[in-house]
Amino acid sequence: MLAENNGEARILAGGQSLVPMLNFRVARFKCLIDINKIDELAYIRDQGDELRIGALTRYRTIENSPLVAAHAPLLAEVTKWVGHLPIRTRGTIGGSLAHADPAGEYAAALLAMDVDVVLQNRKATRVLKIADFIHGMFTTALEPDELLVEVRIPCAKRSQVFAFDEFARRPGDLAIMGIAVRLDVEDKTINSARVVALGCENGARRIVEAEAVLIGQACDADQIEKAARATENVPAHSDIHATAALRKHLAVVLSRRALTKAMASHRGRVT
Amino acid sequence: MNDRRDIKVVVNGRHIFESVEPRLLLSDFLRQTLGLTGTHVGCEHGVCGACTILFDGHATRSCLMFAVQAHGHAIETIEGLAESGAIHELQQAFMKHHALQCGFCTPGMLVVAYDLLKFSPMLSSHAIREGMSAALCRCTGYWNILKAVEEVANLPERRAAADERPPEIGARPI
């Protein structure tokens, strides 16, 4: 159906972003294709080294999944920050990524976890790194005839710690700024780091300046401070919700908090 | 699109067969087609929570679904929850604590509270605040609403039942 409608059809997954756009008439489509009855797209599977999550898996299922809690703790944590309870009942992981809202928590968290996304059309399947999938604000690598079918998340290793923090006017509202962190720590040294911000210009993005500050360094408060400071030049925009200056300030504060939390959980494991 | 689709839905335990336009929102279907006006429509973009219903047992925004999507599913509205007695304790607590002013948000508040209490046995005040933020009260009567929900959450029989159930998954810090 997608292929037949030549780019004028849209997939309806959870509809928690798409239906408001339709209700406001800011988006119109010749055809909506409801995939909610395709049970084969809703699953969480443990493949040993990765978790495979079907595109139609809902936030609430992910939030309560023991598999996700055990192997993708950052996803479990971040899901609690997504929308409100009734939104999480319905919204899906695939819908969140395909919609690519710059304030979406999942894009940032999944970028920090370096996941793969699986896209499929009638003839072929392709697997993309999340960084290559999300192109910017509301734009992705999806071709008009393609459906996002699966997300593949590398299982968390023992050396990895994660954290997430965000600021919104009210819990559950769209985030003004958020930070997701993944650190690989061995013998008190940070071997690799991902610091990802959401809510910046063009959506989720890695802050490589902050990552560079952390890599190869000891995991202590000084390094956290330096890395947090390195996020203050994150490309931010001003709108009715916040000025660019506030967003940059929040990036620093939230990075400091998230990194502190990540390092505390590392210490908790060592002792 | 002017074509209509036949749908079969269970609403508050009643089997409903209707023919609807595909573009009809579930909230409008409940209110206009079925006359169940207890489900309120506030913002129509999923923010205010006045239209919250139970869809297959889980709190869902009825303004963010189409009626055709309810085909083959079970819905409970505030009318059904009140008639079955499912929210009796919540209603009593809302009355006792004056947890409503104009009453517009109340159906949504009750449905959200019902879902919260049903699926999360051990709720902290913080968890209740966070959960109840799913519905907006334009009279800003939140304090009394939280008091009412907290009272029900802490009823001795609920506490006793909660002790037998495992703690919330995902509650551990990372």
Side-chain angles (χ1 to χ4, degrees):
Chain A
M1 269 178 97
L2 265 179
E4 283 156 17
N5 276 283
N6 216 359
E8 290 186 73
R10 191 67 170 241
I11 295 291
L12 173 60
Q16 303 299 290
S17 299
L18 184 60
V19 179
M21 288 163 76
L22 297 169
N23 287 357
F24 275 135
R25 273 61 174 175
V26 294
R28 278 168 198 245
F29 302 101
K30 207 175 108 191
C31 168
L32 277 185
I33 303 169
D34 182 6
I35 59 169
N36 281 281
K37 300 264 183 198
I38 310 178
D39 292 336
E40 291 79 7
L41 282 178
Y43 55 83
I44 301 175
R45 284 185 204 131
D46 183 358
Q47 297 289 116
D49 55 347
E50 64 182 12
L51 275 191
R52 295 189 174 180
I53 303 186
L56 198 65
T57 310
R58 302 185 196 277
Y59 293 118
R60 205 161 167 170
T61 312
I62 293 172
E63 193 178 358
N64 293 319
S65 158
L67 275 180
V68 172
H71 300 301
L74 180 61
L75 189 65
E77 166 68 13
V78 101
T79 306
K80 291 188 268 181
W81 293 83
V82 177
H84 299 282
L85 179 77
I87 306 293
R88 295 197 295 272
T89 301
R90 194 79 191 148
T92 67
I93 186 170
S96 170
L97 290 182
H99 181 59
D101 190 311
E105 283 88 359
Y106 265 27
L110 295 173
L111 205 51
M113 288 185 277
D114 207 10
V115 308
D116 290 330
V117 292
V118 184
L119 314 180
Q120 196 179 326
N121 66 11
R122 273 202 292 200
K123 296 187 199 103
T125 299
R126 58 182 180 136
V127 182
L128 289 184
K129 283 270 163 225
I130 178 105
D132 300 322
F133 173 73
I134 294 178
H135 287 175
M137 201 184 278
F138 303 116
T139 47
T140 67
L142 273 170
E143 294 294 334
D145 66 343
E146 274 181 321
L147 179 67
L148 197 168
V149 291
E150 188 179 79
V151 179
R152 297 178 179 172
I153 303 174
C155 287
K157 299 191 187 81
R158 267 207 61 80
S159 59
Q160 292 179 330
V161 285
F162 306 87
F164 181 81
D165 207 342
E166 75 169 33
F167 176 79
R169 295 272 172 209
R170 220 166 42 116
D173 283 0
L174 278 184
I176 287 171
M177 177 59 74
I179 297 282
V181 170
R182 185 196 80 196
L183 301 176
D184 273 59
V185 190
E186 252 170 307
D187 297 332
K188 293 183 184 169
T189 306
I190 300 166
N191 289 329
S192 78
R194 275 284 170 103
V195 180
V196 182
L198 65 90
C200 17
E201 221 163 34
N202 270 331
R205 64 155 61 218
R206 286 172 64 182
I207 311 178
V208 285
E209 296 85 348
E211 295 174 2
V213 169
L214 292 164
I215 293 170
Q217 301 297 320
C219 125
D220 59 30
D222 275 359
Q223 226 50 45
I224 291 179
E225 192 51 36
K226 280 186 206 154
R229 290 274 158 219
T231 64
E232 72 188 348
N233 290 321
V234 65
H237 58 288
S238 292
D239 61 17
I240 54 163
H241 304 294
T243 60
L246 174 61
R247 284 197 163 87
K248 286 171 194 278
H249 171 71
L250 285 170
V252 176
V253 174
L254 294 169
S255 301
R256 189 184 293 132
R257 281 189 203 160
L259 287 167
T260 306
K261 223 191 288 180
M263 292 212 189
S265 72
H266 170 65
R267 274 195 295 277
R269 266 183 216 176
V270 172
T271 49
Chain B
M1 244 192 228
N2 290 319
D3 61 331
R4 299 178 80 88
R5 302 288 155 89
D6 292 330
I7 60 168
K8 193 169 79 179
V9 196
V10 179
V11 181
N12 299 330
R14 266 175 54 222
H15 291 261
I16 309 272
F17 301 88
E18 281 288 345
S19 166
V20 297
E21 272 190 75
R23 67 184 205 111
L24 183 70
L25 290 176
L26 180 57
S27 48
D28 291 336
F29 172 73
L30 293 171
R31 289 176 54 83
Q32 291 163 18
T33 312
L34 303 185
L36 295 168
T37 51
T39 297
H40 289 172
V41 171
C43 71
E44 282 190 281
H45 64 293
V47 172
C48 78
C51 70
T52 307
I53 52 144
L54 295 184
F55 186 80
D56 290 340
H58 294 286
T60 309
R61 305 285 201 232
S62 63
C63 75
L64 297 187
M65 283 187 68
F66 297 101
V68 287
Q69 294 185 285
H71 176 68
H73 293 274
I75 287 167
E76 276 182 279
T77 67
I78 190 70
E79 290 90 344
L81 289 171
E83 280 162 23
S84 72
I87 52 168
H88 177 71
E89 289 166 343
L90 279 167
Q91 287 171 310
Q92 291 299 316
F94 267 57
M95 263 201 291
K96 178 175 157 195
H97 292 284
H98 305 289
L100 64 155
Q101 290 169 52
C102 82
F104 190 84
C105 72
T106 313
M109 289 285 178
L110 287 166
V111 175
V112 171
Y114 175 76
D115 186 344
L116 254 187
L117 297 181
K118 187 170 171 197
F119 290 102
S120 312
M122 288 152 76
L123 281 179
S124 61
S125 303
H126 177 75
I128 291 174
R129 284 181 95 92
E130 209 164 275
M132 292 307 295
S133 73
L136 286 179
C137 166
R138 290 295 299 271
C139 311
T140 69
Y142 296 106
W143 191 243
N144 290 350
I145 294 169
L146 291 174
K147 268 202 285 191
V149 178
E150 250 183 77
E151 178 172 287
V152 178
N154 286 308
L155 286 175
E157 55 269 36
R158 271 192 55 84
R159 280 270 155 233
D163 287 342
E164 287 164 21
R165 279 188 277 182
E168 269 174 273
I169 295 158
R172 70 197 180 88
I174 61 164

